[in-house]
Amino acid sequence: MRIILTLVSALLIAVAAAQPSGTLRLYTSQPDADAAATAAAFEAVHPDVNVTIFRSGTEQVIARFLLEAEAGEPQADVLLLADAPTFELLKERGLLESHEPTGNVVDAAFSDADGYYFGTKALATLIMYNTSLVSDPVSSWAELADLPAGQIIQPSPSYSGAAAFNLGVITRDSRLGWAWYETLAGNDVTLVQGNGAVLRGVAEGERPYGIVVDYLPIRALAEGSPVDVVYPTEGVPVITEPVGIVSGTPNLEAARAFVDFLVSGAGQQLAVDLGYLPLSDAIEPPSGFLPLSSITVLTADAADLASTREADKERFAELFGE
């Protein structure tokens, strides 16, 4: 009996020791309110963990993180950023820790096969338009490019991780390619830093059309803004806002728990509650969104996108005079 009690006591101590605690440092490109809500939801499940947040655009977050990593002092435990190619670059540099999540409800197609990063939500890039200015919207990417000059706002790949991802995917599509961007470059397109600026510009009537991630105009439409969206007939690029653990993190248990939470049923429901499309068919999408299974997705290999990302952005900048 004494031996059994000793073993049970040791097991309880081990379980207690494995419970995450302490500070978890999150670097993310989520909007401020969403990042705060994500941290609060995780802390509600793991009250002994305090999440601190640094957020900016994906390109700025990565620039800061790489500077810290090169100095041997990364200040992040987990990264929650726009797209898989970003994580491919970090994976190649040995800056991520592999993990096998427990309770994962996300399809394996949306995560790294080696366990270095995991998709957390679907963000499709769509065409949005101002309903006060447009009565017969375009139906395709090709039609968008053929509009008269001065009609479109889009985020710059130099700032937006989603825009950089879209650039790689669209230029690899045989129906669009670089020719599509070359046409846009000659059509007086307004470039802005992020997707939020696209939403504001179209909603306020600065330009009738915008290229933007789905949740922004869908939320705005529900709130009464004069906007609507088009899912282009060719298909849409979809980023999955992956999460990954920083190699050598001093709080590995909390980092693993954070990943586990985001890919669990509760984490996918949190994505829906925040107004995003989940990556699990078991979770009902928010009002206004097409189910992921009904969307035609434009795809490209993440490692291939990562390998040409900087060259693609440089070519874009030359085309658009950035």
Side-chain angles (χ1 to χ4, degrees):
M1 180 63 72
R2 182 176 297 174
I3 293 175
I4 293 175
L5 289 174
T6 300
L7 289 174
V8 170
S9 177
L11 178 60
L12 291 174
I13 291 171
V15 170
Q19 293 301 309
S21 61
T23 297
L24 181 72
R25 302 165 300 178
L26 169 65
Y27 276 26
T28 183
S29 57
Q30 285 186 304
D32 287 317
D34 293 343
T38 299
F42 174 72
E43 290 171 342
V45 178
H46 298 286
D48 292 332
V49 179
N50 174 50
V51 180
T52 64
I53 300 169
F54 167 70
R55 76 140 319 268
S56 187
T58 292
E59 301 300 310
Q60 283 63 43
V61 174
I62 286 299
R64 172 168 167 166
F65 174 72
L66 289 177
L67 283 174
E68 295 170 351
E70 288 168 4
E73 297 180 349
Q75 297 300 302
D77 300 303
V78 286
L79 303 170
L80 180 59
L81 302 170
D83 58 77
T86 295
F87 281 86
E88 280 290 330
L89 293 171
L90 300 176
K91 175 184 173 181
E92 290 174 6
R93 299 187 188 192
L95 296 174
L96 299 176
E97 184 91 19
S98 64
H99 177 49
E100 185 175 344
T102 58
N104 188 357
V105 301
V106 173
D107 191 293
F110 300 115
S111 299
D112 176 47
D114 299 319
Y116 285 97
Y117 58 88
F118 306 88
T120 65
K121 59 179 66 71
L123 297 97
T125 290
L126 312 175
I127 298 169
M128 71 172 293
Y129 63 95
N130 185 301
T131 54
S132 298
L133 301 176
V134 178
S135 58
D136 184 21
V138 301
S139 63
S140 68
W141 295 116
E143 288 180 5
L144 184 72
D146 286 340
L147 289 172
Q151 304 288 300
I152 304 166
I153 304 176
Q154 74 167 20
S156 168
S158 299
Y159 178 86
S160 167
F165 177 82
N166 298 340
L167 175 64
V169 171
I170 289 174
T171 55
R172 284 165 172 77
D173 187 283
S174 60
R175 297 163 298 177
L176 299 170
W178 276 105
W180 187 78
Y181 280 101
E182 289 165 359
T183 301
L184 287 185
N187 279 358
D188 187 27
V189 170
T190 296
L191 292 181
V192 293
Q193 284 193 328
N195 286 275
V198 175
L199 173 66
R200 289 190 296 274
V202 175
E204 293 172 3
E206 293 177 17
R207 296 285 175 102
Y209 285 96
I211 300 171
V212 69
V213 290
D214 56 5
Y215 71 92
L216 289 171
I218 290 174
R219 288 180 187 176
L221 172 61
E223 294 167 358
S225 183
V227 299
D228 208 340
V229 300
V230 172
Y231 287 81
T233 54
E234 299 96 339
V236 295
V238 174
I239 58 175
T240 57
E241 196 168 89
V243 62
I245 300 171
V246 175
S247 180
T249 169
N251 198 345
L252 185 58
E253 288 299 332
R256 287 173 172 169
F258 187 77
V259 172
D260 291 355
F261 172 71
L262 291 183
V263 300
S264 70
Q268 289 297 286
Q269 185 59 52
L270 172 65
V272 171
D273 293 343
L274 292 175
Y276 298 101
L277 190 63
L279 286 174
S280 171
D281 287 340
I283 309 297
E284 185 175 350
S287 176
F289 286 79
L290 293 180
L292 186 60
S293 58
S294 69
I295 296 174
T296 300
V297 178
L298 300 180
T299 61
D301 179 72
D304 182 38
L305 291 175
S307 69
T308 63
R309 188 173 192 131
E310 293 308 313
D312 288 345
K313 289 195 297 184
E314 288 178 9
R315 183 171 175 181
F316 179 95
E318 291 175 1
L319 274 176
F320 286 81
E322 281 193 302

